């Protein structure tokens, strides 16, 4: 049961595998300030801080990327992820790259994280986080330079699954790209590679609900720990990959949960009982799923692709790429493919 706790409960997500509450974050404070980004802004793009509310009244913070010298109404994209990251990390990188290609792109911090509102902090929810995408679509639809009939979304990692969930609900989303996706409901309910059985899942619920009682007594919410630092000797390769991004100058950010102390420990509860992707097969608009050949998460994307119907759905496997390579590797992320996909489907 201890191993299950490590792999699911105390982790809540990607980099919190093998996480510990005593992460020392050594040297992290010297890596990057809160106002810095992990990527360079294209000289062909402008970036503007914006905010908007979702349907639950939570104010979300975003960066709006616009092509310089653009005119008329343009296609637009809302971008989020990875799960536990912030807009200064991969979502902002994707947004600036897509703006360079002629799209207006909004990278935003999800509810309860980064510069966005919501209390208590560091909570995740399959419902509210799906709504975050629709709130971003609301915002984009009202911009004078956006064509409201040409809006798509990009979700990275855990937000890839949420993007597909949003597309199944929100028919205004005309095209969806899920990059190196996780199905957060599946991994929290079943463990990696569906290794958790019913008895183990029940024991996990008991543990998480016992933590709720402790949190209620303390008046605070225990955090699960971000990416473990230093790495244990037995860390699997994908945990090493997460460390190489979130705990180094490459991707560290002081507002990122995965770079620091992680999610609220009890956040998995809602994902366990609320499966995403139930209606993925009813999506009528275009979907592109992209995974690395060597990504430990690849099975999430492949199994999700099997749920999709129609001739406007596509699965793309990047040879030799890992899960984290699709966070920031400009030589690996298929931005030209994304450009073609969205231009074909947002017209």
């Amino acid at each position: 049961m201890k191993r299950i706790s490590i792999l699911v409960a105390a982790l809540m997500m990607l980099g919190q595998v093998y996480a510990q509450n005593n992460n020392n974050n050594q040297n992290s404070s010297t890596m990057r300030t809160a106002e810095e980004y992990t990527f360079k802004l294209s000289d062909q793009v402008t970036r503007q801080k914006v905010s908007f509310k979702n349907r639950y009244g939570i104010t979300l913070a975003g960066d709006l990327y616009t092509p310089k010298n653009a005119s008329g109404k343009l296609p637009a994209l809302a971008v989020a992820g990875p799960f536990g990251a912030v807009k200064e990390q991969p979502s902002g990188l994707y947004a600036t790259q897509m703006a360079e290609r002629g799209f207006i792109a909004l990278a935003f911090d999800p509810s309860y994280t980064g510069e966005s509102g919501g209390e208590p902090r560091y909570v995740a929810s399959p419902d509210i986080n799906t709504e975050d995408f629709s709130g971003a679509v609301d915002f984009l639809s009202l911009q004078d330079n956006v064509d409201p009939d040409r809006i798509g979304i990009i979700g990275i990692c855990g937000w890839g699954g949420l993007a597909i969930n949003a597309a199944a609900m929100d028919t205004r989303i005309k095209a969806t790209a899920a990059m190196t996706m996780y199905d957060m409901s599946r991994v929290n309910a079943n463990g990696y590679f569906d290794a958790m059985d019913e008895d183990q899942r029940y024991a996990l619920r008991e543990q998480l609900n016992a933590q709720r009682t402790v949190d209620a007594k303390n008046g605070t919410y225990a955090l699960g720990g971000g990416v473990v630092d230093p790495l244990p000797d037995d860390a699997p390769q994908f945990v090493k990959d997460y460390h190489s991004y979130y705990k180094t100058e490459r991707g560290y950010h002081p507002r990122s949960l995965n770079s620091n102390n992680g999610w609220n420990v009890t956040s998995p509860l809602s994902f366990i009982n609320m499966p995403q992707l139930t209606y993925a097969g009813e999506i009528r608009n275009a979907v592109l799923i992209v995974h690395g050949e060597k990504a430990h998460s690849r099975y999430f994307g492949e199994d999700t692709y099997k749920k999709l119907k129609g001739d406007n759905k596509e699965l793309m496997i990047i040879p030799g790429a890992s899960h984290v390579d699709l966070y920031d590797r400009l030589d690996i992320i298929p931005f030209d493919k994304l450009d073609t996909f969205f231009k074909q489907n947002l017209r």
Side-chain angles (χ1 to χ4, degrees):
M1 186 51 56
K2 181 179 179 182
R3 182 169 178 78
I4 295 170
S5 299
I6 291 173
L7 287 178
V8 185
L11 102 106
M12 175 45 199
M13 174 38 214
L14 46 89
Q16 291 182 225
V17 180
Y18 293 120
Q20 302 170 359
N21 286 327
N22 65 345
N23 281 355
N24 55 32
N25 297 323
Q26 55 195 19
N27 300 324
S28 292
S29 62
T30 64
M31 290 181 180
R32 183 170 283 115
T33 71
E35 302 311 313
E36 290 181 296
Y37 291 75
T38 61
F39 59 92
K40 292 182 179 179
L41 179 66
S42 167
D43 60 8
Q44 302 173 46
V45 172
T46 62
R47 178 169 58 208
Q48 174 189 2
K49 286 193 171 294
V50 297
S51 64
F52 57 96
K53 288 189 176 182
N54 67 17
R55 192 167 55 88
Y56 294 101
I58 299 170
T59 298
L60 303 184
D63 287 327
L64 190 65
Y65 293 81
T66 304
K68 288 183 178 178
N69 304 317
S71 61
K73 289 185 176 293
L74 302 178
L77 302 168
V79 191
F83 220 81
V86 289
K87 63 186 180 303
E88 292 82 7
Q89 293 174 310
S91 61
L93 170 66
Y94 273 72
T96 194
Q97 287 290 320
M98 297 310 292
E100 193 175 72
R101 289 163 170 79
F103 298 85
I104 292 175
L106 170 66
F108 65 91
D109 289 332
S111 295
Y112 307 107
T113 66
E115 293 184 300
S116 289
E119 294 289 342
R121 303 302 292 166
Y122 316 131
V123 174
S125 160
D127 182 16
I128 295 174
N129 292 145
T130 298
E131 161 59 25
D132 287 343
F133 262 126
S134 288
V137 173
D138 291 343
F139 172 82
L140 289 171
S141 297
L142 300 178
Q143 303 309 301
D144 291 339
N145 54 354
V146 170
D147 183 342
D149 294 322
R150 292 192 291 162
I151 295 176
I153 60 175
I154 299 174
I156 308 162
C157 191
W159 278 84
L162 287 162
I164 293 175
N165 203 46
M169 177 187 70
D170 193 333
T171 57
R172 300 173 302 171
I173 297 169
K174 303 304 182 184
T176 300
M179 311 298 295
T180 196
M181 69 163 282
Y182 261 67
D183 177 345
M184 290 304 302
S185 294
R186 181 177 177 181
V187 73
N188 279 287
N190 300 331
Y192 281 102
F193 303 102
D194 303 320
M196 185 185 298
D197 62 26
E198 181 178 338
D199 289 338
Q200 293 170 326
R201 186 161 46 250
Y202 187 84
L204 174 59
R205 289 192 183 102
E206 286 189 314
Q207 177 185 344
L208 294 175
N209 283 297
Q211 182 64 52
R212 286 193 64 149
T213 301
V214 172
D215 290 348
K217 289 179 179 178
N218 292 338
T220 59
Y221 296 87
L223 301 179
V227 176
V228 63
D229 184 29
L231 283 167
D233 292 338
D234 64 345
Q237 183 58 48
F238 75 97
V239 176
K240 294 178 181 177
D241 291 342
Y242 286 134
H243 186 279
S244 74
Y245 181 78
Y246 287 108
K247 287 295 187 176
T248 70
E249 178 65 19
R250 173 185 173 189
Y252 174 84
H253 197 276
R255 281 195 288 265
S256 169
L257 305 180
N258 296 329
S259 289
N260 296 288
N261 289 323
W263 293 97
N264 180 312
V265 169
T266 58
S267 284
L269 282 167
S270 60
F271 284 92
I272 290 171
N273 274 25
M274 298 179 189
Q276 299 173 65
L277 311 183
T278 300
Y279 296 105
E282 297 184 8
I283 299 174
R284 298 188 182 183
N285 292 321
V287 176
L288 171 66
I289 296 176
V290 181
H291 259 290
E293 177 189 16
K294 296 182 178 180
H296 68 285
S297 54
R298 177 176 166 180
Y299 73 102
F300 291 123
E302 291 178 328
D303 288 354
T304 299
Y305 177 71
K306 294 173 185 176
K307 298 174 183 283
L308 304 176
K309 301 173 184 177
D311 58 6
N312 58 352
K313 314 300 188 290
E314 185 175 354
L315 173 66
M316 181 180 189
I317 303 298
I318 308 298
S322 72
H323 178 89
V324 174
D325 284 340
L326 295 183
Y327 284 8
D328 67 338
R329 289 283 301 275
L330 295 179
D331 58 328
I332 289 178
I333 300 170
F335 283 113
D336 288 343
K337 173 63 178 180
L338 289 171
D339 181 33
T340 300
F341 169 75
F342 282 112
K343 284 179 178 173
Q344 287 178 342
N345 292 288
L346 299 180
R347 58 184 182 184

